[in-house]
Amino acid sequence: MSKRSRDDNEISPPEWWTVAINWIQSSGGTIDSSLILTENRDVLTTLPMKKGQVLMDIPSACLVSKDNVLLTETGKLLESAFKDESVAFSNQWRDLLIAVGLANRGE
């Protein structure tokens, strides 16, 4: 990660970045307050970092995984659809589950 001043990146963070930070923090994770997201989606720090400093601690509940998506109602419906041999999908079911998890994270 590069060090830059907030003034070098005078853009407000995209809504999804703010939502992601709030979700991670409300789930028990941490995001260092010196981290910013640029318009190129680079994550930069605005302060010097100490060796070994933790910048992000993301709980497993916030990871988009097949197992986490299967816990949602939509994930359960997709899993049963994949077991139905009369339904044809053009992607692997795990890929679709992760995509659904990203799209329906607020379920």
Side-chain angles (χ1 to χ4, degrees):
M1 290 187 198
S2 303
K3 179 185 174 297
R4 272 195 203 164
S5 158
R6 281 194 195 271
D7 296 337
D8 292 342
N9 299 288
E10 292 184 14
I11 59 167
S12 57
E15 183 180 354
W16 67 265
W17 175 251
T18 304
V19 169
I21 289 173
N22 291 338
W23 176 43
I24 290 166
Q25 291 173 335
S26 70
S27 299
T30 57
I31 304 289
D32 192 284
S33 61
S34 71
L35 296 181
I36 60 171
L37 184 74
T38 70
E39 58 189 42
N40 294 328
R41 294 186 178 184
D42 295 326
V43 177
L44 307 174
T45 181
T46 60
L47 300 171
M49 303 277 72
K50 296 176 185 169
K51 184 177 181 177
Q53 182 173 346
V54 176
L55 299 177
M56 293 184 189
D57 181 18
I58 302 174
S60 61
C62 295
L63 300 176
V64 179
S65 69
K66 173 186 69 79
D67 293 334
N68 283 346
V69 174
L70 284 173
L71 297 174
T72 68
E73 289 305 311
T74 306
K76 291 173 188 172
L77 288 171
L78 260 182
E79 183 181 35
S80 65
F82 271 101
K83 289 179 179 177
D84 181 351
E85 293 181 14
S86 67
V87 178
F89 292 95
S90 59
N91 291 71
Q92 294 290 321
W93 72 280
R94 289 172 185 84
D95 295 340
L96 287 174
L97 283 174
I98 290 172
V100 167
L102 287 169
N104 294 306
R105 189 183 53 75
E107 186 176 293

